[in-house]
Amino acid sequence: MDLLKQMNTSMKYIEENLTNEIDYKVVASIAYCSEYHFKRMFSFLTGITLSEYIRRRRLSLAAFELQNSNVKVIDVAMKYGYNSPDSFTRAFFNLHGVTPTEARNKGQHLKAYPFMTFQLSIRGGTEMDYRIEQKEAFNIVGIMKRVPIVFEGENQEITGMWQSLTMDKIEQLKKLSNVEPKGMIQASNNFSEGRMEEKGELDQYIGVATTQECSDDFTKLEVPALTWAIFESTGTFPNTLQETWGKIYSEWFPSSTYQVTEGPEIVSIKSKDLTSTSVKSEIWIPIKKNK
């Protein structure tokens, strides 16, 4: 796909500039997408952040140089962007398990983190039901909390947020709901850099989408006019929902003409089978056309 080809060109640029300061905006522009989208795509395709990949590649090359030359440790540190021997030694030890000086010893085991390229593999051939909609600006009104990022299973912090909502507050919120997605929703926003390593936090909202004014009892997130890709997900909650999310970024985006743009990612629970654990949900992701 064109996007994968463009991302591989970006990866080549990174590789050729590992001894220089790398501007992420330039990296993303080579792939004809925004920095925001490139970082998110990279993370979902690789499982690590872009900054962590660059760090590992630099330290892999530094280890090779230390084992195969007489160059000074401080010179290798400076070459790969470390301003002091101490910061270089800490980073080197965290990856390789030995110090730069110890790395010179013959027979020392070191980690090699290879140059990465992308290719599209066909997995499963499962259909993904989606639609594209344009929406005017609206607000997400409800409660908000900064919560840890959890990929698999239940997020206890979010469960606690639901439990904190009284029936009275839920009824107040439902009366405010006047635009799609209707009813109670969850929205995730303002993700930490380490999202794909399951590190850091995000702003989690539980509430409704509305254009009405709300009381001071609730938090308000203003959502601008955006285009949305809306995906259906039916199955065990939250596992199936999490699987759908992963497929959106690792399979749908690379094969589409869209890229993610800044805005909240929304989950709307449409129905629940009371005789089983099956839940039908919609995932709303803000998008824009590729350049």
Side-chain angles (χ1 to χ4, degrees), residues 104-285:
R104 292 189 186 279
N105 299 332
K106 297 300 181 183
Q108 189 66 260
H109 291 284
L110 299 169
K111 298 264 179 35
Y113 200 80
F115 168 55
M116 187 181 291
T117 58
F118 298 102
Q119 61 183 9
L120 183 64
S121 62
I122 307 301
R123 294 175 293 179
T126 306
E127 291 182 351
M128 294 187 72
D129 294 324
Y130 75 95
R131 66 185 188 274
I132 306 295
E133 288 190 12
Q134 291 183 317
K135 279 185 62 64
E136 296 299 318
F138 64 95
N139 296 322
I140 294 173
V141 170
I143 60 173
M144 188 278 282
K145 185 178 181 181
R146 190 79 175 156
V147 303
I149 293 170
V150 175
F151 276 174
E152 295 184 6
E154 184 178 356
N155 188 319
Q156 294 294 334
E157 293 288 339
I158 297 176
T159 299
M161 290 177 67
W162 277 105
Q163 292 172 346
S164 73
L165 281 170
T166 64
M167 289 305 300
D168 182 54
K169 283 192 174 182
I170 290 175
E171 288 304 315
Q172 288 181 51
L173 287 168
K174 285 183 176 180
K175 289 177 181 178
L176 292 173
S177 175
N178 66 346
V179 294
E180 290 288 346
K182 291 284 186 67
M184 296 295 293
I185 62 174
Q186 295 184 173
S188 303
N189 197 43
N190 193 22
F191 296 91
S192 295
E193 174 67 18
R195 178 182 185 182
M196 288 315 300
E197 294 173 284
E198 207 166 356
K199 297 178 181 177
E201 298 174 319
L202 57 87
D203 291 345
Q204 183 70 22
Y205 293 81
I206 297 178
V208 295
T210 185
T211 57
Q212 299 187 61
E213 291 298 319
C214 68
S215 71
D216 294 335
D217 294 338
F218 297 117
T219 301
K220 180 174 73 174
L221 174 66
E222 295 181 355
V223 182
L226 290 168
T227 301
W228 300 81
I230 304 163
F231 301 85
E232 293 183 8
S233 176
T234 303
T236 304
F237 185 88
N239 295 343
T240 301
L241 192 68
Q242 291 164 344
E243 290 172 7
T244 303
W245 226 305
K247 287 176 62 178
I248 291 168
Y249 279 94
S250 64
E251 298 178 25
W252 188 81
F253 272 118
S255 61
S256 77
T257 58
Y258 296 96
Q259 59 177 286
V260 65
T261 191
E262 292 193 51
E265 297 182 357
I266 298 172
V267 174
S268 171
I269 307 298
K270 307 309 290 185
S271 64
K272 183 174 181 178
D273 186 344
L274 297 178
T275 63
S276 71
T277 58
S278 181
V279 177
K280 183 177 181 180
S281 310
E282 286 185 347
I283 297 174
W284 291 55
I285 297 183

Side-chain angles (χ1 to χ4, degrees), residues 38-83:
F38 187 90
K39 285 182 175 180
R40 296 287 285 279
M41 280 291 303
F42 183 92
S43 294
F44 270 93
L45 288 170
T46 66
I48 64 170
T49 62
L50 180 59
S51 59
E52 178 63 13
Y53 168 74
I54 292 171
R55 187 185 75 86
R56 293 183 189 181
R57 281 298 297 145
R58 284 171 168 163
L59 290 171
S60 293
L61 295 181
F64 183 82
E65 287 196 32
L66 289 169
Q67 279 205 320
N68 294 278
S69 72
N70 294 319
V71 66
K72 294 179 180 178
V73 171
I74 183 60
D75 292 335
V76 175
M78 296 295 289
K79 180 177 181 179
Y80 289 102
Y82 292 87
N83 296 323

